[in-house]
Amino acid sequence: MDSVFFIRLVQFILSISLLVLLHEGGHFFFAKLFKVRVTRFYIFFNPKFHLFSTYDTWFRKLFRKNPVVVPEKIEKDDDGNERKVKEYVGTEYGIGWLPLGGYCAISGMIDETNQQLNEKPQPWEFRTKPAWQRLLIMIGGVLVNFLLALFIYSMVLYYWGESYIQTKDMTMGMKFNTEAKALGFKDGDILLGTEGGTFTTFGTDLYRDISEAHRVDIIRDGKQMAIALPGELNLLDMIKKQPPFVTPLVPAEIDSVLPGSPAAKLGMAKDDKILAINGKAVDSWNEFMLEISRLNDIVTAKATKSDSIAGRTVTIAYEHHATHVVDTVRTMLSEDMKLGVIQKSMWNFYTPTEVKYGFFESFPAGISYGVNVLRGYVDDLKYVFTSDGAKSLGGFGAIGSLFPATWDWMLFWRMTAFLSIILAFMNILPIPALDGGHVLFLLYEMITGRKPSERFLIIAEYIGIGILVLLMIVANLNDILRWLGYM
């Protein structure tokens, strides 16, 4: 198994397991608080079988609680045969084999566990509790996930602080694509901010601010000036275009060379600088990668192996760092169109801003950071309802690829906090089968005084499950198509 894939897989499973455990724990806490019976508490789903399960009889015995009643009752199987089964009044805790979430089976509640509600309502059931208690039980998971994200962000800031490069400190400026230049930008411009505020660092927030801005402040040739914008640029187009709307300018200097690679065979070394490819001058990694991308498109379209080899054969001009001698050599790129060099990042060329937080200072900073992440995510949801937005949906593969290729605890916790916010927001959407669907019907009941019928709730639950399954199929199909190179 590829080591990068394995590291990402482990991080994904660990992160999702933690989030599901605490999300369902939120439902569990309020259910127990209001004396509602919880029959099952599972991480991951367990159709047909499970990996592990235990009952809470040991817990009750340990703390001398009332013993769990384990009566026998008669059930009929699919063939009509009667059998005696034990009915555990306590909670069954378990781990399923299907890592698509988890569940907390609450007695008397219409959910994905498909429990029967034909019997007489009992005082320990969800459906007999006051609406406000049912509301708290339903929002418990979302509340825990959102608070968890804010807590993680706060602790990350407390332990590691913040380290980022402000756009004003990117003194070599940025590289812009054709669409950006048509709006008035020029390579080398230093981005400062918009009428909405000053940019901090380069990222999605910067793209979002530019897409909504009517004015962008820049420094060009040492002078500050402003560029007028329409205020309604398409964020997805800005990011997905190749090259993107804007990227920080990073000189084409080599950080390291991979053993056995085409670059190693040429004698390239750390700190050497690439000057041209196929006779075209490149002033940055931005330009170099753009040329490689164009060559890759050509090679992909080639019909024969000899044509492919010809497309991969390139002329590289580079300067030796030690001697400042310029060599122009001919070589063949690897089959995946790689030269075999690790590029220097912008952290090698620009001075970062370091911010440290005390324990109590970290909480308002973490809350502000988390709320800003949520605001950006909600703002970007409008693109989901476009054709490009639907194509950008990702499933488990896309989520897993967001984790770093090497184990980094800071990045792991940041990613876990981000997923926790997404999980909280997605679950509160008013879609039947999600927590938000239940909340919607409860609010209707609290406002009108009329409770929707159980038949209506069951039908709505199945419709909601159908919508979620369809979305999951589309998202994971997109992952497969991207992996196969069709998207």
Side-chain angles (χ1 to χ4, degrees):
M1 183 183 292
D2 181 78
S3 60
V4 171
F5 173 81
F6 179 75
I7 290 171
R8 283 177 168 157
L9 177 64
V10 171
Q11 291 180 89
F12 173 75
I13 292 176
L14 178 61
S15 179
I16 292 298
S17 299
L18 174 65
L19 296 181
V20 169
L21 173 67
L22 294 177
H23 177 90
E24 299 302 329
H27 297 306
F28 181 87
F29 170 79
F30 283 106
K32 289 292 188 179
L33 180 66
F34 300 129
K35 303 185 185 307
V36 177
R37 182 179 296 168
V38 179
T39 57
R40 282 184 174 185
F41 185 95
Y42 263 74
I43 300 176
F44 304 150
F45 293 118
N46 59 320
K48 301 298 183 182
F49 69 94
H50 53 257
L51 302 179
F52 167 82
S53 74
T54 184
Y55 289 89
D56 63 0
T57 52
W58 59 270
F59 177 85
R60 291 170 178 265
K61 288 178 180 178
L62 180 65
F63 292 98
R64 301 184 181 277
K65 298 286 185 181
N66 295 329
V68 177
V69 179
V70 189
E72 288 188 343
K73 66 176 183 177
I74 305 297
E75 278 190 355
K76 290 185 178 181
D77 59 24
D78 294 338
D79 298 324
N81 300 316
E82 293 186 349
R83 59 177 182 174
K84 288 184 177 181
V85 296
K86 287 184 177 181
E87 184 183 59
Y88 287 84
V89 176
T91 303
E92 178 189 358
Y93 301 91
I95 300 175
W97 62 269
L98 189 60
L100 300 180
Y103 66 94
C104 177
I106 298 173
S107 293
M109 176 181 166
I110 298 171
D111 60 12
E112 67 275 5
T113 58
N114 295 320
Q115 56 184 307
Q116 298 298 317
L117 301 178
N118 297 326
E119 299 177 1
K120 182 182 178 180
Q122 301 295 329
W124 61 76
E125 290 187 330
F126 175 84
R127 55 181 166 170
T128 61
K129 298 299 178 179
W132 68 271
Q133 291 186 4
R134 284 179 278 139
L135 181 65
L136 285 175
I137 292 172
M138 290 317 308
I139 66 174
V142 168
L143 182 64
V144 166
N145 278 133
F146 186 64
L147 293 179
L148 173 67
L150 299 183
F151 178 76
I152 291 176
Y153 281 132
S154 299
M155 291 299 95
V156 167
L157 293 177
Y158 169 66
Y159 189 83
W160 285 285
E162 280 190 287
S163 183
Y164 56 90
I165 301 171
Q166 298 188 60
T167 57
K168 69 180 181 62
D169 294 330
M170 297 179 186
T171 52
M172 286 180 276
M174 282 76 178
K175 298 287 288 187
F176 298 86
N177 67 9
T178 304
E179 288 77 11
K181 290 175 181 177
L183 293 168
F185 292 100
K186 289 178 61 177
D187 288 342
D189 287 348
I190 301 172
L191 298 176
L192 299 178
T194 70
E195 72 271 18
T198 302
F199 295 136
T200 51
T201 188
F202 188 89
T204 306
D205 286 343
L206 178 142
Y207 268 94
R208 188 180 298 110
D209 290 344
I210 292 177
S211 72
E212 299 171 353
H214 290 89
R215 188 195 80 239
V216 175
D217 299 321
I218 65 168
I219 294 177
R220 179 180 294 171
D221 300 328
K223 298 179 181 179
Q224 185 168 332
M225 59 180 294
I227 295 176
L229 293 180
E232 50 185 20
L233 298 177
N234 187 293
L235 179 62
L236 278 183
D237 284 345
M238 294 171 67
I239 295 174
K240 293 179 67 176
K241 288 275 188 177
Q242 290 300 324
F245 187 89
V246 57
T247 50
L249 191 151
V250 181
E253 293 184 17
I254 297 171
D255 182 74
S256 58
V257 177
L258 299 178
S261 66
K265 295 174 183 177
L266 292 175
M268 287 184 169
K270 179 180 174 62
D271 297 327
D272 287 354
K273 185 175 182 179
I274 297 176
L275 303 176
I277 178 170
N278 285 345
K280 180 171 182 177
V282 295
D283 62 357
S284 61
W285 282 115
N286 315 64
E287 290 287 340
F288 179 79
M289 296 309 298
L290 177 59
E291 290 304 310
I292 291 294
S293 177
R294 288 173 179 168
L295 289 173
N296 186 53
D297 291 341
I298 294 173
V299 169
T300 302
K302 295 293 184 182
T304 66
K305 184 176 181 179
S306 60
D307 288 338
S308 175
I309 292 174
R312 288 162 47 204
T313 303
V314 297
T315 301
I316 302 285
Y318 70 101
E319 180 183 31
H320 292 272
H321 171 72
T323 62
H324 298 292
V325 172
V326 175
D327 268 346
T328 301
V329 294
R330 196 164 178 80
T331 188
M332 187 168 68
L333 302 176
S334 63
E335 291 187 4
D336 57 353
M337 298 299 290
K338 296 290 192 297
L339 180 60
V341 295
I342 305 298
Q343 65 187 56
K344 286 186 177 180
S345 72
M346 61 181 181
W347 293 80
N348 295 102
F349 302 98
Y350 303 121
T351 304
T353 296
E354 304 281 350
V355 183
K356 296 295 182 182
Y357 295 92
F359 181 75
F360 294 106
E361 293 175 319
S362 68
F363 287 99
I367 291 171
S368 176
Y369 190 96
V371 169
N372 185 57
V373 170
L374 177 61
R375 184 185 298 117
Y377 182 76
V378 172
D379 188 57
D380 294 344
L381 273 183
K382 60 179 178 284
Y383 294 105
V384 172
F385 303 102
T386 66
S387 58
D388 286 339
K391 292 177 183 177
S392 68
L393 287 174
F396 299 110
I399 296 172
S401 67
L402 295 176
F403 286 93
T406 57
W407 199 281
D408 185 313
W409 279 112
M410 184 186 72
L411 295 179
F412 168 81
W413 285 118
R414 279 185 177 272
M415 188 63 207
T416 299
F418 177 64
L419 291 180
S420 193
I421 281 183
I422 292 177
L423 183 60
F425 179 77
M426 295 302 292
N427 261 286
I428 205 62
L429 291 176
I431 299 175
L434 292 178
D435 296 342
H438 292 279
V439 169
L440 178 66
F441 297 135
L442 280 168
L443 291 176
Y444 169 82
E445 178 185 346
M446 294 172 74
I447 293 170
T448 65
R450 296 194 301 271
K451 187 177 182 180
S453 70
E454 290 183 355
R455 175 175 171 76
F456 170 81
L457 293 176
I458 291 172
I459 293 174
E461 185 79 10
Y462 281 120
I463 292 174
I465 291 173
I467 293 173
L468 295 179
V469 170
L470 179 61
L471 287 174
M472 190 177 296
I473 291 172
V474 171
N476 285 283
L477 181 60
N478 284 349
D479 283 353
I480 295 171
L481 293 176
R482 276 189 284 267
W483 180 66
L484 293 174
Y486 291 106
M487 288 182 64

